[in-house]
Amino acid sequence: MFPTKKSFAVLALLTATALTAGCAGTYGTNAVGSGDYNSQQARQAQQVETGTVTSFRYVTINTSTTTSAGVGTGVGALLGGVLGSQVGSGNGKTIASALGAVGGGLAGNAAEHQISNQRGIEITVRMDNGQLRAISQAVDAETFRVGDRVQVIGGMWGGVARVTH
């Protein structure tokens, strides 16, 4: 028994889905956690201030970039169009291809948004100098409770800041 075009299309769709799902776990906190630094922040002196956690709430952080936006839609539309082209013949095949592309694009867009969204935490800290600051970062191994003494690292002139114990 030889594989059909439809079998290859389904295999391609499953492979692309598995690869996309694998990418989601590869990046962890997508460089927005308390321990994530980019190359410009490494070996740079950063301001460190201390304070007390007054409140926190869980938020959603969208880490998609302008360069990655639309990839899920494009891949989904392509795969949906390929799968749709395996159905019917003549005008029916054309319609199935178009509907497959639209459906695949919508599914790919939804998957892209799901992958680029991650759980975050907004931590409000009363600094020792009396200022109140709110810093959002990805949820990682550190946990925070109201009353915790913490350090706010960075944040000079509105730059990147993180909260850590």
Side-chain angles (χ1 to χ4, degrees), residues 2 4 16 23 27 31 38 69 99 103 106 108 139 144 150-152 154:
F2 294 103
T4 64
C23 290
Y27 297 105
N38 65 35
L99 290 176
L106 291 172
V139 171
F144 298 94
V150 294
Q151 296 178 332
V152 176

Side-chain angles (χ1 to χ4, degrees), residues 91-123:
N91 286 340
K93 187 174 196 158
T94 303
I95 292 170
S97 295
L99 290 176
V102 170
L106 291 172
N109 186 314
E112 179 180 344
H113 284 293
Q114 195 62 26
I115 289 168
S116 63
N117 286 343
Q118 68 183 76
R119 190 172 170 178
I121 185 170
E122 179 186 79
I123 307 153

Side-chain angles (χ1 to χ4, degrees), residues 50-141:
T50 56
T52 304
V53 174
T54 60
S55 67
F56 64 90
R57 68 184 179 121
Y58 292 101
V59 297
T60 300
I61 299 174
N62 185 305
T63 59
S64 67
T65 63
T66 55
T67 56
S68 68
V71 172
T73 303
V75 170
L78 178 68
L79 290 174
V82 168
L83 284 174
S85 71
Q86 304 301 311
V87 178
S89 62
N91 286 340
K93 187 174 196 158
T94 303
I95 292 170
S97 295
L99 290 176
V102 170
L106 291 172
N109 186 314
E112 179 180 344
H113 284 293
Q114 195 62 26
I115 289 168
S116 63
N117 286 343
Q118 68 183 76
R119 190 172 170 178
I121 185 170
E122 179 186 79
I123 307 153
T124 304
V125 179
R126 169 83 54 196
M127 305 309 295
D128 290 345
N129 66 8
Q131 284 186 324
L132 199 59
R133 292 197 190 152
I135 296 99
S136 298
Q137 61 193 39
V139 171
D140 55 20

Side-chain angles (χ1 to χ4, degrees), residues 2-42:
F2 294 103
T4 64
K5 284 186 192 180
K6 195 179 289 188
S7 298
F8 282 121
V10 170
L11 180 61
L13 179 61
L14 291 174
T15 302
T17 302
L19 289 173
T20 304
C23 290
T26 303
Y27 297 105
T29 61
N30 288 325
V32 292
S34 64
D36 296 320
Y37 289 82
N38 65 35
S39 60
Q40 286 78 32
Q41 295 166 328

